[in-house]
């Protein structure tokens, strides 16, 4: 395997693939000197060294206090891989068809049009990858991560930034300690965790496992099963096909155009659910619970369900009711604080359990005449905002890579 290895102390490094059969290395430096003689003496003593062993080429960069800025440009033929380590500086690789391993202690790293797998590590910079046929594994201690057009299973982890992924053919594992996570067009499973921001996933062909300790969850156009939890935000889901299990400790849950079973829990908020499935043979078991809020459910007029609805009041003087477009029977209870109704809708089917501690329950048949149907948010404002940010980012893509 042909490989270029570079160990650079202090320089920005750019590696580009080309159609020549040789490796070309160009080194430039800005010098803080007063005479040509002084410049020549510094260059002769501290310029980078180059060596070759078989198909392996090694570049070693030296450092000198007189450098204002040092630049290293490397051009490699087809079939080469990269192993680059820079102590201080940015790294950019483009049009390389082998594997790429890029590391910097304090600089941005960016890759574009890579034929193999990519590894990126930086202790203090941004990570960007545009067009990677293999897998992409990026980690930074203090910056944003942006991926586009990934071919295989990929990972991203940052301790202090946002993560954005667009067009991933296979699975994703994403983690940030203090930022937002956004995924659009994923062909496999998505696992996304953040300690301090919202999570949005749109157009996912696999399963999604999402968690945030301090933000909202936005879910749209997902085929697989979903598990999602937030400790302090709303959950909005639209056009979801698989089984859904979501929970929030402090926010509303709004789910529309749902075609699978649902378990949704909030400890302080309303729950709204719109079921649109036409395949009644699927599992549509539903369990909705809130301690302080209303429950709104819209189901197709012909869907067979067995519905149980319960309201527990904080005191017997509170006035909360169960409103339904379907025939249901009020059940007797041993407490004046509990209101309970049940019924077999269209002959009965999967169980639908609805429970609230302080709120009304509304069950609608989805027709225009229903007074129990609630208008819900689409979540489009989130995606519109991200599209605007995405377009602005592309305007500065090459400027931001630092090379």
């Amino acid at each position: 395997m042909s490989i270029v290895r570079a160990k650079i102390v202090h320089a920005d490094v750019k590696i580009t693939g080309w159609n020549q059969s040789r490796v070309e290395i160009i080194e430039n430096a800005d010098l803080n000197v007063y005479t040509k003689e002084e410049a020549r003496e510094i260059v002769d003593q501290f310029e980078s060294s180059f060596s070759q062993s078989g198909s392996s080429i090694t570049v070693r960069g030296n450092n000198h206090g007189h450098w204002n800025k040092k630049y290293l440009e490397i051009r490699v033929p087809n079939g080469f891989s990269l192993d680059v380590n820079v102590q201080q500086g940015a790294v950019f690789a483009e049009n390389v068809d082998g594997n790429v391993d890029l590391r910097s202690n304090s600089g941005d790293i960016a890759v574009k049009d890579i034929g193999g797998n990519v590894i990126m590590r930086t202790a203090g910079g941004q990570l960007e990858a545009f067009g990677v046929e293999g897998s992409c594994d990026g980690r930074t201690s203090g910056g944003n991560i942006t991926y586009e057009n990934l071919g295989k299973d990929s990972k991203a982890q940052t301790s202090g930034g946002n993560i954005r992924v667009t067009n991933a053919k296979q699975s994703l594992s994403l983690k940030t300690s203090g930022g937002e996570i956004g995924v659009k067009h994923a062909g496999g499973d998505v696992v996304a965790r953040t300690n301090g921001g919202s999570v949005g996933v749109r157009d996912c062909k696999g399963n999604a496992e999402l968690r945030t300790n301090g933000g909202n969850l936005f879910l749209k156009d997902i085929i697989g099963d979903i598990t999602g939890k937030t400790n302090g935000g709303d959950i909005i889901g639209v056009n979801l096909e698989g089984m859904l299990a979501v929970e929030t400790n402090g926010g509303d849950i709004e789910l529309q155009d749902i075609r699978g079973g649902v378990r949704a829990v909030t400890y302080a908020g309303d729950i709204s659910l719109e079921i649109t499935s036409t395949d009644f043979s699927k599992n549509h078991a539903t369990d909705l619970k809130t301690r302080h809020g209303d429950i709104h459910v819209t189901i197709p007029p012909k869907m067979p369900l067995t519905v149980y609805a319960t309201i527990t009041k904080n005191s017997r003087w509170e006035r909360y009711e169960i409103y339904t477009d379907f025939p249901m029977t009020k059940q007797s209870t041993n407490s004046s604080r509990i209101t309970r109704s049940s019924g077999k809708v269209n002959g009965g089917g999967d169980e639908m359990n609805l429970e609230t501690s302080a709120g009304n329950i509304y069950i609608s048949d989805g027709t225009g005449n229903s007074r129990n149907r609630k208008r819900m948010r689409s979540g489009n404002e989130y995606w519109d905002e991200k599209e605007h940010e995405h377009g602005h980012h592309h305007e500065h893509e090459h400027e931001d890579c630092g090379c």
Side-chain angles (χ1 to χ4, degrees), residues 63-127:
N63 190 30
H64 190 272
H66 288 79
W67 303 133
N68 285 341
K69 195 69 175 178
K70 192 174 182 180
Y71 308 91
L72 194 67
E73 184 172 355
I74 304 172
R75 297 187 178 96
V76 299
N78 294 331
F80 267 76
S81 294
L82 303 178
D83 182 0
V84 178
N85 193 322
V86 178
Q87 289 189 16
Q88 292 181 323
V91 186
F92 176 64
E94 183 178 18
N95 294 326
V96 176
D97 58 4
N99 296 327
V100 173
D101 187 335
L102 309 178
R103 300 168 189 261
S104 175
N105 287 345
S106 59
D108 298 341
I109 300 177
V111 298
K112 184 177 181 181
D113 299 332
I114 306 298
N117 300 323
V118 172
I119 296 175
M120 297 185 290
R121 300 285 189 271
T122 179
Q126 317 286 345
L127 299 181

Side-chain angles (χ1 to χ4, degrees), residues 190-388:
V190 175
V191 177
R193 295 186 175 93
T194 174
N195 288 330
S198 297
V199 178
V201 176
R202 181 174 183 178
D203 186 17
C204 174
K205 301 298 189 294
N207 301 324
E209 179 183 335
L210 316 174
R211 181 158 186 167
T212 173
N213 287 332
N216 302 321
L217 298 182
F218 298 91
L219 318 168
K220 191 170 185 178
D221 306 334
I222 299 176
I223 293 178
D225 297 338
I226 300 170
T227 58
K229 183 176 181 179
T230 172
N231 288 332
D234 296 338
I235 299 175
I236 299 177
V238 180
N239 189 27
L240 308 179
E241 187 78 25
M243 302 296 292
L244 178 63
V246 293
E247 179 179 341
T248 174
N249 288 335
D252 297 335
I253 300 176
E254 298 187 6
L255 308 170
Q256 51 185 315
D257 196 4
I258 306 301
R259 296 182 295 282
V262 177
R263 179 184 179 274
V265 178
T266 177
Y267 295 96
D270 297 337
I271 300 178
S272 303
L273 169 65
E274 176 197 47
I275 300 174
T276 58
S277 179
T278 57
D279 181 4
F280 300 152
S281 65
K282 292 179 60 177
N283 182 359
H284 293 94
T286 301
D287 187 11
L288 309 182
K289 296 179 180 179
T290 175
R291 289 186 179 177
H292 299 280
D294 295 336
I295 295 178
H296 298 256
V297 177
T298 301
I299 61 178
K302 297 183 179 180
M303 173 173 277
L305 289 170
T306 300
V307 180
Y308 301 93
T310 303
I311 299 174
T312 302
K313 305 171 187 177
N314 294 321
S315 73
R316 63 178 182 172
W317 309 111
E318 292 180 338
R319 293 291 180 263
Y320 298 114
E321 299 293 341
I322 298 170
Y323 303 93
T324 175
D325 294 337
F326 299 93
M328 294 181 65
T329 302
K330 189 173 183 178
Q331 307 294 317
S332 61
T333 65
N334 296 326
S335 173
S336 60
R337 295 171 54 200
I338 298 176
T339 300
R340 180 177 293 135
S341 294
S342 65
K344 292 186 176 182
V345 177
N346 296 312
D350 291 331
E351 288 190 2
M352 173 177 282
N353 184 50
L354 312 175
E355 296 182 21
T356 178
S357 295
N360 298 310
I361 295 177
Y362 303 86
I363 305 172
S364 168
D365 61 10
T367 64
N369 296 326
S370 175
R371 297 181 179 181
N372 300 318
R373 190 174 185 180
K374 180 182 178 181
R375 184 180 181 90
M376 288 185 280
R377 293 171 288 176
S378 67
N380 285 334
E381 66 279 1
Y382 170 83
W383 299 107
D384 292 343
E385 178 185 350
K386 298 308 170 187
E387 287 293 334
H388 175 75

